[in-house]
């Protein structure tokens, strides 16, 4: 028997930090009986949670505009529509990323084109040149599990090709790249308030941008084409209406999201401090390699990744860490898109909406496992160690000691 850790808390991030602050803001909404963001009981004092969330998000993330929506997936769909991406267009998407990164592109009628990831588990910037066609409009960058993609190169490659950069910061709000908040570097960024995220309201999403036209179009897309007075005060309208969807955030969700936004950096600093106790010890082990990051100091720190030399060694390390009470399974639900049902079928909700209908036979090259040797190799060899709000320094030290012990058992001292 191995000594068990001091504790084995659930990794929880925002959800683990829920407390009196969220309660107070939710109660405020309930007591006012104002659940809808655009009007309430007193025209002189309209509801304020969603508006305040947007205002504080602008200040925190360093963008010009922010818009609250119903989910991170909704934020992606709205952002793509705001950017005017649609049928006939292509969007470059990392092959290893969350479901919505693929489906949101299909839903707006464009074709997701899958890119290999590099060892940071984010899109390989070199893929932009390889995959660009005359139809390419945008690169959807996913900052995987708390850490930045190589934004210097991605911005350079995209700018030289006149491609939009959409940053998916759902898994990395509060993380930075050379001092800039992820989500604020490209043309338009998104975050999620889903339950497992660093800031959560159960569900919810946020869009940020510095471009007035993207903001206005996002507002219209998320509110049935409308552009209400509140938004006109933030940015005067310049576009005509179009048939949008309905992705408005409720005041109740906004109350929780706002309290969580205010805690984001504290949760991040806690995770970073824990990671700093563990990473150097793993980095010193000869048969393991830490996930290389384009800016290690900017990592949120809620999940520490390292690679073993083979998939078998990674599986054996996981088994031994689990026996010591260390969480180390792949818990994010991310799989390569080319192994998912929606890619294997190539279907949209209606056959004529599928951007793959002209590609035959299906799955076509670029959508099959054999087309992604690097992504296949990297994602078979990593071990992920979640850290969280309830983790203590003693937990971090136990994790580091457990990796050292498992490494010694497997490879010798
Ligand atoms: C990278 C990424 N993008 C988008 C989303 C979608 O967010 P949501 O679950 O709020 O729709 C998620 C989260 O689940 C995610 O991890």
């Amino acid at each position: 028997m191995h000594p068990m850790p001091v504790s084995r808390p659930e990794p929880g991030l925002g959800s683990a930090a829920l407390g009196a602050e969220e309660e107070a803001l939710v109660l405020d909404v309930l007591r006012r009986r104002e659940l809808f963001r655009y009007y309430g009981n007193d025209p002189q004092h309209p509801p304020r949670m969603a508006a305040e969330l947007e205002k504080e998000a602008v200040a925190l993330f360093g963008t010009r505009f922010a818009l609250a929506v119903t989910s991170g997936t909704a934020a992606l769909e709205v952002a793509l529509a705001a950017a005017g991406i649609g049928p006939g267009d292509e969007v470059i998407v990392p092959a290893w990323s969350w479901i919505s990164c693929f489906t949101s592109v299909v839903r707006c009628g464009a074709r997701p084109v899958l890119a290999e990831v590099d060892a940071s588990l984010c899109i390989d910037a070199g893929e932009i040149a390889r995959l660009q066609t005359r139809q390419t409009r945008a690169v959807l960058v996913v900052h995987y599990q708390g850490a930045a993609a190589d934004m210097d190169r991605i911005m350079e490659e995209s700018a030289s090709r006149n491609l939009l950069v959409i940053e998916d910061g759902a898994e990395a709000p509060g993380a930075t790249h050379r001092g800039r908040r992820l989500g604020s570097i490209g043309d338009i960024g998104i975050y999620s308030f889903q339950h497992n995220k660093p800031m959560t309201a159960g569900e919810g999403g946020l869009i940020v941008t510095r471009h007035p036209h993207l903001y206005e179009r996002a507002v219209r897309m998320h509110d049935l084409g409308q552009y209400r007075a509140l938004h006109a005060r933030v940015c005067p309208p310049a576009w005509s209406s179009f048939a949008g969807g309905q992705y408005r955030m409720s005041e109740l969700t906004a109350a929780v999201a706002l309290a969580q936004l205010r805690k984001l950096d504290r949760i991040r600093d806690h995770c970073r401090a824990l990671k700093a106790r563990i990473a150097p010890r793993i980095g010193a082990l000869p048969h393991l390699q830490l996930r290389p990051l384009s800016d290690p100091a900017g990592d949120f720190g809620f999940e520490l990744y390292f690679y073993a030399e083979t998939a078998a060694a990674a599986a054996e390390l996981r088994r031994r860490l689990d026996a010591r009470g260390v969480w180390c399974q792949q818990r994010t639900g991310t799989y390569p898109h080319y192994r998912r049902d929606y890619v294997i079928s190539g279907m949209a909700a209606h056959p004529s909406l599928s951007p793959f209908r002209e590609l035959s036979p299906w799955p076509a090259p670029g959508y099959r496992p054999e087309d992604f040797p690097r992504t296949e190799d990297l994602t078979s060899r990593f071990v992920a160690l979640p850290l969280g709000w309830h983790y203590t320094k003693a937990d971090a030290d136990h994790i580091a000691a457990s990796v050292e012990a498992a490494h010694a058992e497997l490879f010798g001292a």
Side-chain angles (χ1 to χ4, degrees), residues 40 56 64 88 151 180 182 194 201-202 250-251 293 303 393:
E56 294 194 22
R64 271 182 78 188
M151 286 310 282
R180 294 175 73 187
L182 303 186
Q194 185 268 339
S250 87
E251 285 287 279
L293 300 177
E303 196 144 65
K393 289 177 186 167

Side-chain angles (χ1 to χ4, degrees), residues 69-73 192-195 200-205 249 253-254 256-257:
V69 293
T70 44
S71 70
T73 303
S192 161
F193 291 101
Q194 185 268 339
H195 185 68
T200 184
E203 300 280 12
M249 183 182 277
T253 299
V256 182

